Each structure stands twice: as structure tokens, then as C-alpha cells.
Amino acid sequence: MFAIKRRKTKKVQVGDKFIGGDAPILVQSMTNTPTENAALTAQQVKELAEAGSEIVRITVNTREAAAMVPHIVAELERMHVQVPLVGDFHYNGHLLLNEFPDCAAALAKYRINPGNVGYGEKHDLNFKSMIEAAIRFDKPVRIGVNWGSLDQELLARMMDENARASEPKDSHAVLIDAIIESALASANMAEQYGLAPDRIIISAKVSEVPDLISVYRKLSSACDYPLHLGLTEAGMGTKGIVSSSAALSVLLCEGIGDTVRVSLTPEPGADRCEEVRVCQHILQAIGLRSFMPRVTACPGCGRTTSTVFQRLAKEIEEHLQVNRQQWIEQFPGVETMKVAVMGCIVNGPGESKHADIGISLPGTGEEPRAPVYIDGKHITTLEGAGLAREFIAIVERYVKERYGKQAVH
């Protein structure tokens, strides 16, 4: 497999996790509950953490929300949920962090948007106040620039400077430069105020794929801070998943990025954890991390008019998902397992042999028998109505025999 060489960065501790350096690329998510409702927010944090989110961010936008943060942390401790909690501050963070020291102490990290900390002289004073809180409570900070809330004074100044240049850039290029300038200048300012360089993480989010790639390539060459990746306002469903996957995959394959989030807009009432699973799939598809056993299944064609392989692939996928957490705890290494469920003789035996365990189901006109392969060797052939049940039993036995031994030794 192609080896990805990650860029060298500082290593930042966030709670019991590390971002950057030689630490694994972490998956992040964010609640969409009212933080004032401590029970509801803690429950969603729990769900996100159980889905695999390694850092969870919550909105801290009001005094009522700030007052509830310690209660949320206490509720998580009661539920035995250990996940760093990040406070997302806009406009009034300088007030909340100082008025509610218990909130400032309970959070594992602060997210500061330099475009939303005030204007003119107040900008620097408010930003300094938040950095001083981070120093006082020994917390790392993510300086999170967003092109939807970019520092307008900085942008106006850079636009004016560009207009006077002998060869001015187009306005969009200046906007991209301003995003990068805001992030780097804010990080430099934080250091001047006394925040240690290994307590700073940077993000610079935009909503267009080519722009995100361009911004992070420039950022990665201009600094050694860890970088948090993610499109802002990625969108709903397929659009959001595809856009995020396209952008993040390019950057991650270039070694850029130390923590990721896929900002999906969920369907009304839908599972918030989908964005966590998408992050995991992206990292696993690239080969950077393994989170769960994988199922390889063919798409089907005229040779596979039977839907048996589709149903079996779905059953296997669901079975792996249901058992994933328990298996990972009991059988270390099982998250790297690859299962192949193929639909005909064309690629079926070959793909099955390449997987840890695979089955090649009969296609149209083929003999109604399904050879099963383990570690590249044909071990049995299944047929009949109980085929799916028998194959799942073989998978269960394989997990216990292969990864159980690893756990013992």
C-alpha cells in the first residue's frame, strides 16, 4: 500500500488525547443540542463518543450554556464517558470564560474564531482575554477561521493593498490570502500573549473543495501547527459526504491534517453520528487508520440477477456494525479484518482470496454453490437456504480463532 508521509507538526495535548506530531489523526464532531439542556447535550456527546468521535465540541454561546458546562462534564463522568469536550466561542467568549471559571476549567479546549471576537481595539483586547484564560486554566486553543465570518477589517485592508499593487490579484484570491493571514497572525498574536506554541491548533474552513485544498496546502507550508480539517457547511446527504471526502482525501493523502470533521447537515430527526462514521470511512479507505472490519461487495451486473449477494452483504455489514465495539474490545486487531461478499465467478474467487475471509456466490447460470475462502485458501463450499447463516457463523469462528489468539499472546 502507498505510504503517506505526514507533515511534521507540534504535538498538542487535548484532555487525554494528542493532536499532531506522531499521534493518529483524530475524528471530531459537534453537538447540535442546546447546551443549556445539560442532560440532552451529555446524552448526545455520549452517542457521538460511542460512535467513535474522539473529541466533541459544544456551543457555549450564553451565560446559561456556560453555567451548564460543568454539569455536562459531571454527567459524562457519571455515564463513564471519557471524551475531551471543546467549547465553541463566538462574540462573547471573553466574557463567558472570565465570568464562569468552572466552565473554563471543565473544558478540554477552546475554539476561538478571530473573526468574531470584536472590532478595532476591542478585537485585540477580547482575543487577549481569551488567550489569557487559556493560559490560566492550561487549555489548548483552536484558532478557527471561517470564511463566512472572516475578520472584515483585515479583509478590507488586504483588498485595499491589493488594489494598489502593480499586478493586483482577483478578489477571490485575496479572500483566500486573508483567511490564511487571519489564522497565522492570530496564532502569532496568541504566542505573543504568552500561549505556548504547542497549545495551538489551526483551522481555516471554507465550503468549496478546491478552495479548501488550496488554503490548507498554503497553511501547511507556512507553519508547523497541527491542522484541523473540514469543509464548513458541507451540506446534506450524498452532497455533503462526497464534497467532504473529495477535499479531505486529497489533503490527507498529501500528509496534511491532524484531526478531521465532516460537517454534515442531518435530516430532521436523523442520527447525528453519521458525520463520525463518514470520517472513519475516509481515514480507513486511505489506510491511515482502522476502525471497523470492512465488507467488500461487488455492485452487481447482468451476471448477478440474484439478489442473494446483496442481502448477504447487507447482513454481514449490519452484523459487523452491531458487534464492532464488543469485538474491538475482545479481539484486538479485528478492526483490520476484510470480508468479501461477491456475486459471480468473474471476480468472486479472486476478491475472496484477497480478503481475510470471503465468499463467492453463484451468478446467473452458474452452479448454485458458494466457495468460501479464508486467508487465501478454499476451506468449504456452501449451498442451500441456510447459506447466509452458515457464512456468518464462519465469520464469527474466524474472528475468535484469529484475533482471540492475538489477544492471548
Side-chain angles (χ1 to χ4, degrees):
M1 180 179 289
F2 170 73
I4 296 172
K5 185 177 181 181
R6 289 175 60 191
R7 64 187 278 267
K8 294 182 179 180
T9 72
K10 296 178 175 66
K11 193 172 185 178
V12 179
Q13 184 168 2
V14 180
D16 63 346
K17 301 290 195 304
F18 288 91
I19 296 175
D22 58 356
I25 298 169
L26 298 185
V27 173
Q28 293 198 33
S29 60
M30 185 175 184
T31 60
N32 60 357
T33 55
T35 308
E36 293 86 351
N37 188 327
L40 190 62
T41 300
Q43 179 59 34
Q44 190 173 80
V45 172
K46 179 177 183 287
E47 292 168 0
L48 290 166
E50 289 178 345
S53 183
E54 292 156 308
I55 296 177
V56 178
R57 183 160 47 113
I58 61 173
T59 296
V60 186
N61 57 333
T62 64
R63 287 178 168 82
E64 292 77 13
M68 284 297 105
V69 169
H71 297 281
I72 294 168
V73 172
E75 180 66 11
L76 292 172
E77 290 175 351
R78 188 191 67 79
M79 295 188 291
H80 305 291
V81 177
Q82 293 184 323
V83 64
L85 210 60
V86 178
D88 192 48
F89 295 97
H90 298 271
Y91 308 111
N92 59 357
H94 58 292
L95 299 175
L96 299 180
L97 285 171
N98 285 288
E99 289 182 25
F100 296 88
D102 289 348
C103 166
L107 293 166
K109 184 178 74 170
Y110 310 152
R111 185 280 175 106
I112 303 174
N113 182 341
N116 287 341
V117 296
Y119 299 96
E121 184 177 317
K122 288 185 177 180
H123 175 282
D124 292 356
L125 290 174
N126 294 346
F127 183 77
K128 182 180 181 182
S129 176
M130 298 180 75
I131 296 301
E132 287 175 342
I135 296 169
R136 186 163 63 254
F137 292 99
D138 191 24
K139 306 295 180 179
V141 166
R142 170 158 71 94
I143 295 172
V145 178
N146 191 308
W147 75 346
S149 52
L150 185 60
D151 183 335
Q152 292 302 299
E153 290 181 325
L154 170 66
L155 179 60
R157 175 175 61 77
M158 292 184 67
M159 286 289 186
D160 290 342
E161 291 172 356
N162 180 66
R164 294 192 295 269
S166 58
E167 295 183 10
K169 302 177 182 179
D170 64 64
S171 59
H172 188 75
V174 178
L175 173 64
I176 297 299
D177 289 344
I179 293 170
I180 297 167
E181 174 64 19
S182 177
L184 295 177
S186 297
N188 181 60
M189 187 181 297
E191 286 194 44
Q192 290 179 10
Y193 293 148
L195 188 63
D198 63 356
R199 303 301 273 163
I200 298 172
I201 299 159
I202 285 181
S203 68
K205 293 190 174 183
V206 297
S207 58
E208 299 295 334
V209 172
D211 289 331
L212 191 83
I213 294 170
S214 175
V215 165
Y216 275 92
R217 280 174 174 168
K218 292 177 180 179
L219 270 178
S220 70
S221 64
C223 73
D224 62 354
Y225 299 113
L227 299 178
H228 169 76
L229 301 186
L231 281 175
T232 186
E233 293 93 34
M236 299 182 73
T238 302
K239 185 267 179 188
I241 292 171
V242 171
S243 296
S244 294
S245 300
L248 269 57
S249 296
V250 170
L251 293 167
L252 291 168
C253 282
E254 293 179 3
I256 300 170
D258 303 283
T259 174
V260 297
R261 182 189 174 206
V262 170
S263 301
L264 293 180
T265 305
E267 298 285 346
D271 184 3
R272 182 67 167 178
C273 298
E274 180 65 10
E275 65 176 47
V276 176
R277 292 187 283 269
V278 173
C279 285
Q280 292 176 329
H281 280 299
I282 292 171
L283 292 172
Q284 186 150 340
I286 295 171
L288 287 168
R289 292 189 65 185
S290 294
F291 296 95
M292 65 200 80
R294 291 177 294 168
V295 177
T296 298
C298 69
C301 66
R303 299 178 66 93
T304 57
T305 52
S306 167
T307 59
V308 173
F309 84 96
Q310 295 168 325
R311 291 196 299 271
L312 181 55
K314 187 172 186 294
E315 280 187 56
I316 291 291
E317 188 83 57
E318 291 175 348
H319 189 76
L320 296 180
Q321 187 63 41
V322 167
N323 290 279
R324 179 180 74 96
Q325 194 58 46
Q326 179 183 344
W327 280 0
I328 288 173
E329 292 172 1
Q330 292 183 352
F331 308 111
V334 72
E335 65 274 12
T336 65
M337 182 177 70
K338 183 177 178 182
V339 181
V341 180
M342 304 302 294
C344 80
I345 199 172
V346 174
N347 292 316
E351 284 282 359
S352 297
K353 290 176 184 177
H354 289 310
D356 294 302
I357 179 168
I359 185 169
S360 179
L361 294 159
T364 305
E366 295 177 24
E367 188 178 351
R369 293 161 62 83
V372 176
Y373 299 84
I374 290 181
D375 297 330
K377 297 178 180 179
H378 175 240
I379 55 100
T380 189
T381 298
L382 305 179
E383 57 184 307
L387 182 150
R389 185 174 61 253
E390 291 179 55
F391 183 65
I392 288 176
I394 292 173
V395 172
E396 288 271 8
R397 189 163 59 249
Y398 178 80
V399 168
K400 292 174 184 176
E401 291 176 355
R402 175 172 176 181
Y403 299 100
K405 290 178 182 178
Q406 289 186 13
V408 171
H409 296 296

